[in-house]
Amino acid sequence: MLRLPPEIDYCNAMGLLPLILAAATPRGESLRLLVLDLTGTVFMDSQGVRLIDEVRHRLPRRVRLRLVAIPDEVPSRVLELTGLRRDVPVHDNLAEALGAVDGMAA
């Protein structure tokens, strides 16, 4: 799980991309799930959406991406309005995000 910053916008979004991808890389072939935690994020604009979409496309196909966001908070609403929520599952808490993967067939 990677906790994202309180604000994700044009000032920091593209700088976060290499950090997220680097955090996923050391685990090599064993990484099957990457959870991005947006529960502490209070502001996110379209650059945050672009960041998440870019992460989604750059991760190896075997790695599932999940997001954790508080319902009715800014990140959750932005993901809903932009439609990215259809492509990347968003969960209310970490346990739910992990449970969604545990319950999936291999």
Side-chain angles (χ1 to χ4, degrees):
M1 178 192 68
L2 294 174
R3 187 172 302 253
L4 296 183
E7 295 185 6
I8 304 173
D9 59 20
Y10 71 94
C11 292
N12 67 351
M14 285 302 108
L16 291 170
L17 180 61
L19 298 175
I20 293 169
L21 295 176
T25 301
R27 302 175 201 277
E29 294 296 317
S30 66
L31 182 67
R32 297 285 184 244
L33 171 68
L34 177 62
V35 177
L36 300 180
D37 183 355
L38 294 161
T39 58
T41 303
V42 295
F43 178 80
M44 184 172 89
D45 64 10
S46 62
Q47 294 302 309
V49 173
R50 177 182 279 175
L51 168 67
I52 293 166
D53 195 47
E54 189 71 24
V55 168
R56 179 174 72 98
H57 283 94
R58 290 193 182 199
L59 285 175
R61 293 184 61 80
R62 72 180 180 285
V63 179
R64 297 187 183 277
L65 179 62
R66 300 288 181 259
L67 304 175
V68 177
I70 298 171
D72 299 325
E73 292 293 325
V74 171
S76 187
R77 288 192 307 251
V78 168
L79 293 167
E80 182 70 36
L81 290 171
T82 61
L84 188 60
R85 192 176 185 117
R86 288 184 306 252
D87 299 324
V88 181
V90 180
H91 301 278
D92 295 347
N93 57 61
L94 181 59
E96 189 179 291
L98 295 174
V101 172
D102 290 342
M104 296 179 75

